[in-house]
Amino acid sequence: MVRKMKKMKKINMKQTKHNIKMAETKRKSGRKADEMRPISAKVGIIPNANGSAMFQSGKTIAIAAVYGPKEHHPRSQRNPSRGTLRCTYNMLSFSVTDRIRPGSNRRSTEISKIIGWALEPVLMLDKYPGKVIDVCINMIQADAGTRCAGINAAAMALAHAGIPMKNMVSSIAAGKLDKTIVLDLDKYEDSEFEGGEGSTDIPITFTNDGKLTHIQVDGHITVEQLKEAMKMTREASKKIYEVQKQALKDSVGGGEK
Amino acid sequence: MIKTPSITKERIQEYLEQGKRFDGRKLDEFRDLSIETGVSKNAEGSARVKIGKTEVLVGVKMNIGTPYNDSPNKGNLMVTAELLPLSSPRFEYGPPKFPAIELARVIDRGIRECKFIDFDKLCIKEGEKVWTVFVDIYSINDDGNLLDAAGIGAIAALKDAKIPKYDEKEGGVLFGELTDESLAVKKDFPISITFHKIGKNIIIDPTREEEDVSETRVTIGSSKGIISSMQKGNSEALDIEEFNKILDMLEKTWNNIFKKIEEGYKIKQQEKNN
């Protein structure tokens, strides 16, 4: 009897191992379904700015600088009752494999606005009537997940600039490859993966107490699957928050501003 | 716009009369320099150059283009510069303004006129297909002398560049896949050096404040005593004696900067090894 049990356990073990292996082989990078790319962060990289930060996720590198709060020009755009957050997302021409023309385009204009929406809920803009805070986000190297990396860098830069924040925000994408929910799509998974139901990209931003400030979905997904993806990203956002917090702490201890 | 006030200008001039500068450098002394290559993996070649607090990123991309009618068997070069609002409270988004355009054009001539790139080797099919080399310059932090930083960055990025794979059947570029073949460039390191005149003194490598109060400037692109490009900027006249003084300073300054560049590569290499 005992021997039989042991045998069954062995088979079970084998099966689970096999299952994990299946899940692993589904991702070209060899990552597990809920494994994000290695991340790192640095605060205080641009001496001219009031606040600045770098966030790297795998091969994606974003840098952000904050200027302000300062006088809002032109006057006609000034909001007398509260401050304005002005985000600009820009990709360097050589950050992608096929060179993009320098300057803004329709995609970057939309992402700029979305990043602003993701950050604004944690800022106290009513404290700065008539003022503007400029957040400049630039992608040095892009390998999918650029808006998430940009939001993470921008949030750290805002904190570094000493702008009062109710909370930190951390951003990460979930995805769906065929029928499997995975975390943090890379370039291949985002744009080249084909097979079954194809790939779905779901960038999400959380405050560190779990409120949602930004979500987008591109692909197709059921409600149940989306809920699973939300859980997965919520866990990952906590890890990102720890990295952001550590980077901010490191910038205080004798580091140059 | 924040400008350096006139009282600071007077003080800078007083200091220069005594042969001193705010940061303790000599008049012909360059700030600490570091060069890091391969900073953006999707680019064919890339470099980050820091001179003091000034930082620029330069990337090289290549694509197939058609040759110009007057050079059917030569590749093309295109240099663009963007002064990112990220790098200074003075810069704003929008179409490139004069400083960015001048910067790109001065660097363009610096590379072109000393024949740094062997354009004959960039021809795929005469009169139809040639490589176009894009050199894109971005400022990351502006504390003066972006011009010289960009020049050094452009050369370093071009030296770092590998030619992308070319699909002969389809006649297109396989983006993201690079060959082991480096871009055909000269072995030496042409440097463009900008000399600034403040009062009666000539200085190099100005900080933001010093560059603000500079009356006129001369950028000289040269390599081993051979001048290949030059541009005078700002509307202030220069005496012949002053100009000769600049020319006499050129060789010594070039040697000093070249040494700094060699060290600049090593510093980053050592940091990586540690």
Side-chain angles (χ1 to χ4, degrees), chain A residues 45-49 59 61 63-65 67 70 88-103 135-138 140-143 256, chain B residues 38-44 46 48 53 55 57-61 63 78 80 82 84-89 93 134 136-138 140-143 175-176:
Chain A
I45 52 163
I46 297 158
N48 275 351
K59 284 190 210 155
I61 306 174
I63 57 172
Y67 289 93
K70 59 184 184 185
T88 325
Y89 166 99
N90 179 45
M91 285 177 113
L92 304 197
S93 59
F94 49 82
S95 62
V96 280
T97 48
D98 187 357
R99 178 181 185 265
I100 46 170
R101 255 185 87 205
V135 181
C136 315
I137 299 156
N138 286 268
I140 291 177
Q141 194 173 293
D143 188 62
E256 60 171 344
Chain B
V39 290
S40 185
K41 299 285 185 288
N42 288 333
E44 270 74 302
S46 58
R48 169 184 282 131
K53 280 184 186 170
E55 180 178 341
L57 269 185
V58 184
V60 173
K61 290 297 288 179
N63 201 351
M78 225 176 114
T80 64
E82 248 193 289
L84 294 177
L86 167 115
S87 61
S88 167
Y93 280 101
F134 294 95
D136 294 319
I137 300 160
Y138 290 92
I140 300 297
N141 193 66
D142 172 21
D143 189 31
F175 287 109

Side-chain angles (χ1 to χ4, degrees), chain A:
Chain A
M1 186 70 190
V2 176
R3 195 182 277 175
K4 213 179 174 183
M5 286 270 284
K6 257 189 186 170
K7 208 178 177 184
M8 273 187 61
K9 210 178 178 185
K10 229 179 193 178
I11 289 168
N12 270 341
M13 286 263 291
K14 246 187 194 169
Q15 271 176 346
T16 47
K17 249 186 196 168
H18 183 69
N19 281 343
I20 290 168
K21 213 178 172 190
M22 283 285 286
E24 272 176 5
T25 44
K26 269 190 181 164
R27 297 192 88 168
K28 199 187 176 192
S29 55
R31 282 188 282 146
K32 288 180 203 148
D34 62 347
E35 185 181 342
M36 61 179 165
R37 293 172 280 180
I39 53 173
S40 62
K42 198 175 176 207
V43 168
I45 52 163
I46 297 158
N48 275 351
N50 298 109
S52 60
M54 180 280 297
F55 188 87
Q56 178 165 15
S57 161
K59 284 190 210 155
T60 298
I61 306 174
I63 57 172
V66 169
Y67 289 93
K70 59 184 184 185
E71 288 301 313
H72 195 166
H73 293 292
R75 268 186 104 93
S76 59
Q77 289 175 10
R78 204 172 278 184
N79 184 343
S81 59
R82 68 201 302 263
T84 309
L85 180 70
R86 199 161 52 185
C87 291
T88 325
Y89 166 99
N90 179 45
M91 285 177 113
L92 304 197
S93 59
F94 49 82
S95 62
V96 280
T97 48
D98 187 357
R99 178 181 185 265
I100 46 170
R101 255 185 87 205
S104 72
N105 51 42
R106 288 161 60 105
R107 177 179 172 272
S108 70
T109 308
E110 189 203 357
I111 295 179
S112 300
K113 194 72 193 164
I114 279 167
I115 290 177
W117 289 335
L119 296 169
E120 223 181 283
V122 295
L123 297 175
M124 303 179 200
L125 290 178
D126 49 339
K127 299 263 190 284
Y128 301 103
K131 296 283 199 300
V132 63
I133 300 169
D134 263 322
V135 181
C136 315
I137 299 156
N138 286 268
M139 307 308 307
I140 291 177
Q141 194 173 293
D143 188 62
T146 57
R147 72 195 68 186
C148 296
I151 290 168
N152 291 336
M156 287 188 286
L158 282 163
H160 184 226
I163 289 164
M165 292 165 83
K166 296 175 208 159
N167 250 320
M168 195 66 188
V169 290
S170 312
S171 183
I172 180 96
K176 188 165 76 69
L177 299 176
D178 188 12
K179 290 188 176 77
T180 320
I181 303 293
V182 295
L183 190 65
D184 194 16
L185 295 184
D186 57 32
K187 176 85 185 304
Y188 167 78
E189 293 170 333
D190 187 27
S191 53
E192 284 170 54
F193 179 86
E194 277 171 14
E197 296 176 1
S199 94
T200 305
D201 184 24
I202 315 158
I204 301 179
T205 307
F206 284 104
T207 63
N208 63 325
D209 57 358
K211 286 198 184 98
L212 201 62
T213 66
H214 149 238
I215 180 165
Q216 288 173 285
V217 178
D218 282 299
H220 77 147
I221 191 163
T222 65
V223 173
E224 287 309 311
Q225 285 169 328
L226 185 59
K227 282 183 181 163
E228 193 190 329
M230 296 283 291
K231 262 183 217 157
M232 204 184 251
T233 45
R234 176 70 189 114
E235 286 311 306
S237 75
K238 289 177 190 166
K239 287 180 198 160
I240 294 168
Y241 170 67
E242 290 305 320
V243 172
Q244 287 172 308
K245 196 165 74 175
Q246 191 55 47
L248 281 162
K249 277 185 184 170
D250 290 345
S251 74
V252 184
E256 60 171 344
K257 197 193 163 184

Side-chain angles (χ1 to χ4, degrees), chain B residues 3-74:
Chain B
K3 273 265 177 189
T4 302
S6 58
I7 189 161
T8 316
K9 177 177 180 170
E10 285 162 23
R11 181 47 68 93
I12 288 176
Q13 279 178 341
E14 273 173 37
Y15 260 58
L16 289 178
E17 290 304 319
Q18 300 162 27
K20 290 196 290 189
R21 287 164 87 169
F22 282 0
D23 51 10
R25 280 184 292 154
K26 292 190 204 101
L27 303 198
D28 61 347
E29 194 178 336
F30 226 65
R31 284 171 285 180
D32 287 338
L33 190 150
S34 79
I35 301 176
E36 191 182 353
T37 52
V39 290
S40 185
K41 299 285 185 288
N42 288 333
E44 270 74 302
S46 58
R48 169 184 282 131
V49 173
K50 286 185 187 177
I51 301 179
K53 280 184 186 170
T54 292
E55 180 178 341
V56 294
L57 269 185
V58 184
V60 173
K61 290 297 288 179
M62 290 172 74
N63 201 351
I64 306 283
T66 48
Y68 292 110
N69 289 336
D70 58 350
S71 56
N73 58 348
K74 283 184 163 59

Side-chain angles (χ1 to χ4, degrees), chain B residues 52-237:
Chain B
K53 280 184 186 170
T54 292
E55 180 178 341
V56 294
L57 269 185
V58 184
V60 173
K61 290 297 288 179
M62 290 172 74
N63 201 351
I64 306 283
T66 48
Y68 292 110
N69 289 336
D70 58 350
S71 56
N73 58 348
K74 283 184 163 59
N76 304 326
L77 173 70
M78 225 176 114
V79 181
T80 64
E82 248 193 289
L83 302 177
L84 294 177
L86 167 115
S87 61
S88 167
R90 299 177 181 201
F91 301 149
E92 284 165 11
Y93 280 101
K97 298 189 179 67
F98 177 73
I101 295 168
E102 193 206 9
L103 177 69
R105 288 185 59 85
V106 168
I107 303 301
D108 182 302
R109 286 198 292 274
I111 298 168
R112 206 183 288 272
E113 298 305 327
C114 69
K115 306 203 164 41
F116 182 68
I117 303 172
D118 189 347
F119 286 111
D120 292 336
K121 294 215 171 115
L122 294 174
C123 178
I124 297 165
K125 195 172 180 198
E126 190 175 326
E128 286 181 23
K129 272 183 186 169
V130 294
W131 285 108
T132 299
V133 181
F134 294 95
V135 176
D136 294 319
I137 300 160
Y138 290 92
S139 62
I140 300 297
N141 193 66
D142 172 21
D143 189 31
N145 207 16
L146 283 175
L147 210 56
D148 292 3
I152 294 167
I155 299 297
L158 284 166
K159 278 183 182 276
D160 181 52
K162 297 272 187 290
I163 295 173
K165 277 188 186 155
Y166 171 65
D167 189 345
E168 277 181 28
K169 272 186 205 158
E170 299 280 323
V173 185
L174 295 166
F175 287 109
E177 292 177 50
L178 301 180
T179 60
D180 290 332
E181 195 187 338
S182 292
L183 192 64
V185 293
K186 276 189 179 174
K187 280 214 175 93
D188 53 345
F189 206 111
I191 309 169
S192 58
I193 308 167
T194 310
F195 296 87
H196 289 260
K197 176 182 177 260
I198 300 175
K200 286 196 172 83
N201 294 289
I202 306 290
I203 64 161
I204 61 159
D205 190 23
T207 59
R208 188 66 260 166
E209 284 175 329
E210 289 168 339
E211 199 167 335
D212 274 347
V213 303
S214 159
E215 288 152 34
T216 188
R217 65 180 146 84
V218 180
T219 305
I220 305 176
S222 68
S223 182
K224 292 175 183 162
I226 308 294
I227 296 171
S228 50
S229 62
M230 188 182 295
Q231 170 130 325
K232 179 185 167 300
N234 295 358
S235 54
E236 184 82 23

